[in-house]
Each structure stands twice: as structure tokens, then as C-alpha cells.
Amino acid sequence: DLSRYKLAAPPLLVQRSDVREWVWAQSTVLWRCAALCFADCTNFGDTEPSLAGSLVNWYTNLSHHMSSSVDSSATPALTVGSRVKLGNLQSATELNGVIAVVVGDTDEATGRVPVKLTGEHAAARPQGIRVKRGNVVAVLGPQQAVNLYTFKASDVQLTPRDSQFVPADKWLKCPVPNLLGVPLVMKQLAPTTRDTRPRNESPAVYLMIDPVSGFAPNWILMNGLGAVLLARSDGLDFTTSQLWELHDYMCHLINCFSNWAEMRDEHPAAEKAEREAAMTPTAFQRYTRSRYGRGRTLWLLCDMMPACHEP
């Protein structure tokens, strides 16, 4: 009986601003649907036409009152650096589900929010896009990343600036992880030299190896990396447990490069085919499953890797 809410809801909405915001964000669609259903008396004969009209009038008045007191575009609030998920886009459907970062204030005249896209879509639209507030289907927490120094890793949250400028601002693309379906980028936190570089930093160096030669760039081999920050360029979270799973596979590839080097002279075509097959999302997922078991929840989900199939 929706009529009882007519008496109960308005006092709550007047007294508590947080309740007003929650109801406006969560229940507006429910009230609209209910009012429209009761307004269409042809579906219910002549049953309680006064109730239908009362509900429609009540919803109209309540909607107007809440629109003036609560700005739906600000629920929840969007600030520069907020990580959001896009959806309900009609003209650019390929961006539905993409994670973006808010880079400016909402334009009150147009109601549009300037955002910078992440992942593969960032290159096509380097200046970002402006979307309606309704196209922001979720406001996410700070992006999770990993701070790595030698074999010491810790989970951290990216600052709004880091989130906004991944991967354009001094972030290095990790070649092999990107081939494996993990769009990982690295930021060197402080320059190092031959004298100041740490003794063993293979977890970071392995992430930067060339997918053909198996060697990291010369400047890394000479001066090292030191402390680095690791994050995903598509805006998704990256954690220490994911790092060590990835490092396990990178160690496996390093061992394979020894065999591929021997094959290269006598069987170059076979070597290339085997090497490229090992650097695919499918190969990475298969290896991870064999190492950690099928019962374990994999962080590398199939819907993030369309090419993956059950072996």
C-alpha cells in the first residue's frame, strides 16, 4: 500500500538531509514507476482513481521539492581525481564499463563532467571527454597500486594526481605484462645510479624485459630502478598478491628465454611461434591455474580477457 508512504516519507525527508540524498539517489525510479502504474487506470478498471491521482500529485510535488533541495548530480559528490565507471552511453557504446578519472568540476550549465579515460581508450581521446552525470554509473574508491622495492612490496592507494596522469606522467609501460592481458605501468619514484641501485631487484626488472630478447633496457641494467610504483593503466586495482602471481610467471618466462635463445639459430620460426604463444592472456591464465589450482579465485577474470577460454 504505497499510500502509507505518502504520510511517512515527507517528514523524514525534511528532517534529515542525508536521508533526502539517499532517497533521491536510490528511490526516485521506484516512485516514478509506481505513480505511472497507478495513473494508468485503464489497466485497473476504475479502481481507486482518487488514489492514483493523489499518488501522481504527491510524486510530482515531492520530486520538485527534492530537486530544489538536493542536487542529484552531486550524489555522490564528484571531485577532481575521483575514479568513476561510465555507462548508459548511447553514441559511444564502446566506452560503457570503462573506468575514467574526473579531471575538472561539473559544468552547471550543461551538467557534464570532464573525465580522462583509462586503458586503450585514452590514446584515442587524449584530451578526455565530457559526460553527463547520468553516465557516471559508479563512483569507485582510490585506485589500488603496489609500492615495490627489491622484494618488499606493499599495497598503496594512488593519489588523485597519480590517478589522473596514469600512464602519461613519467609512467613506463611494462611490455610483457601488457601482452599477458595486464596493462601494467611503472613509475620510478627516485633516480638511481650504479652506486646507489639495490643489489637484487629482479621483480621490478623482470617486468621491463623486452618480449623478444628477454633483456631489460640498457639504462635499467646499468643504473637499476630502485623503488617503483606499479598500477594498471585501465584504472582497475593492482595488489601485492597479483604482483607475486605475475612475478612467478615472469620467472617462468626468463627460464624459457634460455631455451628460445638456443632455438633461434636453428629453428627461428618455431622459436618465434613458441615465444609468442607463451606471451598471451591464455597462456598466463593456464599457468596460473596449474600453479594455484582451479578452486582458487583468480584475479585475472575471463571477462577482462575475451580471448581466454577453458583449456
Side-chain angles (χ1 to χ4, degrees):
D1 185 3
L2 293 177
S3 62
R4 69 182 63 183
Y5 292 101
K6 180 181 176 181
L7 300 176
L12 283 174
L13 299 175
V14 172
Q15 294 173 10
R16 294 285 302 276
S17 60
D18 57 338
V19 174
R20 287 203 310 269
E21 295 178 1
W22 183 86
V23 171
W24 182 253
Q26 305 294 333
S27 303
T28 302
V29 175
L30 172 62
W31 298 127
R32 182 184 293 114
C33 291
L36 291 175
C37 288
F38 276 90
D40 188 3
C41 296
T42 58
N43 291 337
F44 302 97
D46 294 329
T47 303
E48 298 185 357
S50 60
L51 174 60
S54 177
L55 284 171
V56 171
N57 292 335
W58 169 73
Y59 168 77
T60 303
N61 294 334
L62 179 62
S63 177
H64 176 74
H65 168 72
M66 295 179 68
S67 296
S68 61
S69 59
V70 180
D71 182 4
S72 63
S73 66
T75 307
L78 294 179
T79 58
V80 174
S82 294
R83 197 165 55 117
V84 299
K85 185 176 182 180
L86 304 181
N88 304 321
L89 292 164
Q90 303 299 321
S91 59
T93 56
E94 70 277 6
L95 299 181
N96 287 328
V98 170
I99 294 176
V101 179
V102 177
V103 293
D105 297 328
T106 303
D107 188 329
E108 295 183 0
T110 63
R112 291 184 177 270
V113 185
V115 298
K116 184 175 182 180
L117 302 175
T118 61
E120 59 184 10
H121 301 285
R125 296 176 173 85
Q127 302 302 321
I129 61 174
R130 293 179 176 271
V131 297
K132 296 179 180 178
R133 182 59 179 83
N135 295 130
V136 175
V137 297
V139 179
L140 310 175
Q143 184 177 352
Q144 301 296 307
V146 172
N147 196 321
L148 176 64
Y149 180 75
T150 64
F151 280 84
K152 300 176 182 179
S154 59
D155 294 313
V156 297
Q157 294 181 346
L158 290 186
T159 65
R161 173 181 170 80
D162 283 329
S163 295
Q164 181 176 344
F165 290 101
V166 173
D169 185 27
K170 299 181 181 179
W171 290 80
L172 305 171
K173 182 178 180 180
C174 301
V176 174
N178 276 263
L179 294 176
L180 301 178
V182 186
L184 198 65
V185 290
M186 175 188 296
K187 183 177 183 180
Q188 190 178 21
L189 298 181
T192 55
T193 65
R194 180 180 299 181
D195 297 328
T196 61
R197 64 176 298 173
R199 180 171 296 181
N200 188 347
E201 52 178 354
S202 59
V205 173
Y206 286 1
L207 295 174
M208 296 301 299
I209 64 172
D210 179 79
V212 177
S213 67
F215 290 101
N218 288 332
W219 68 269
I220 294 180
L221 297 177
M222 291 288 293
N223 300 318
L225 288 166
V228 298
L229 191 61
L230 300 170
R232 291 181 62 117
S233 63
D234 58 2
L236 296 178
D237 293 334
F238 187 68
T239 65
T240 53
S241 62
Q242 297 167 4
L243 166 66
W244 296 128
E245 289 182 10
L246 182 59
H247 178 65
D248 185 14
Y249 192 69
M250 296 303 298
C251 291
H252 166 70
L253 291 179
I254 291 294
N255 293 330
C256 291
F257 270 107
S258 300
N259 298 328
W260 294 333
E262 296 177 359
M263 293 176 56
R264 191 166 299 160
D265 294 334
E266 297 183 3
H267 308 285
E271 181 272 335
K272 180 181 178 181
E274 184 175 319
R275 173 169 44 82
E276 292 180 349
M279 297 185 195
T280 62
T282 302
F284 180 35
Q285 187 183 40
R286 183 181 295 113
Y287 180 87
T288 303
R289 284 179 172 174
S290 67
R291 294 279 286 179
Y292 299 104
R294 291 181 176 273
R296 188 174 183 274
T297 301
L298 294 177
W299 61 276
L300 197 57
L301 301 177
C302 290
D303 59 355
M304 294 160 48
M305 303 187 305
C308 287
H309 302 282
E310 289 286 340

